[in-house]
Amino acid sequence: MLEQALVALAGMGGAAVVQAAGTDAWTGLRQALAQWFGRGDEESRRAELERLDRTAAELAVAREDGGTTSEHTRVEHEAVWRFRIEDLLEGLPEDERDAVAEALRGLLRHHAPPGPVTTGTGGIAAQGDVRIRADRGSVAAGVVNGDVNLSVPPAPDPTQG
């Protein structure tokens, strides 16, 4: 099981792939990420380039279609790349993991497009629509910082009209 900081790093990597696809940042990120995944093996590097190209092509088609297809495809590919990064990091011996994670941080700093949304601890960041809905007397919230108490309100005083 990866520590939380590495899971967050993997999430940043997945988001960077999706955000960069189809932009000026794509070529640099694509090359750097394929090199990072390949870890010196040319065949693995080429396989990663093909995977990244398929991702970019699917995202381009989804953008053209628009609507929920685009959002679904974006979320799907972000998760795929996040999990791929997590798997690579998790499969490394502990003594190598920090150096490989630092290399990923560096390539993301250098090649990833800047993220438009940031949040502090306990916040929510979203690049699309967020729908939060309460139903049947429940409570719905993006973030709750404190207690939530549900109770039936008292009946109004009949003398108050």
Side-chain angles (χ1 to χ4, degrees):
M1 178 106 181
L2 288 177
E3 62 186 64
Q4 188 175 359
L6 294 179
V7 172
L9 177 62
M12 289 173 17
V17 168
V18 171
Q19 289 171 4
T23 70
D24 292 340
W26 178 245
T27 302
L29 180 67
R30 174 186 172 269
Q31 290 293 333
L33 200 54
Q35 187 72 30
W36 183 82
F37 269 107
R39 303 195 48 203
D41 179 35
E42 184 59 25
E43 190 174 319
S44 293
R45 187 187 73 79
R46 279 194 302 269
E48 292 305 324
L49 287 171
E50 290 175 17
R51 284 184 184 101
L52 287 160
D53 289 343
R54 281 193 304 271
T55 294
E58 289 178 25
L59 288 166
V61 168
R63 272 193 302 274
E64 289 175 14
D65 291 345
T68 58
T69 300
S70 177
E71 180 65 13
H72 174 77
T73 303
R74 188 190 66 73
V75 169
E76 180 180 294
H77 282 284
E78 191 172 314
V80 164
W81 285 101
R82 184 186 84 225
F83 290 134
R84 295 200 75 245
I85 293 168
E86 284 180 11
D87 284 346
L88 187 145
L89 291 171
E90 198 166 39
L92 293 172
E94 216 171 300
D95 59 332
E96 290 179 41
R97 192 175 296 148
D98 288 340
V100 173
E102 190 54 41
L104 178 59
R105 280 185 196 92
L107 83 83
L108 291 175
R109 273 192 305 272
H110 189 263
H111 295 286
V117 178
T118 62
T119 181
T121 303
I124 294 176
Q127 192 175 0
D129 294 341
V130 175
R131 294 182 182 98
I132 300 173
R133 186 176 131 212
D135 192 12
R136 296 186 182 96
S138 63
V139 173
V143 175
V144 175
N145 293 314
D147 295 335
V148 175
N149 296 307
L150 297 177
S151 61
V152 177
D157 185 348
T159 62
Q160 293 179 340

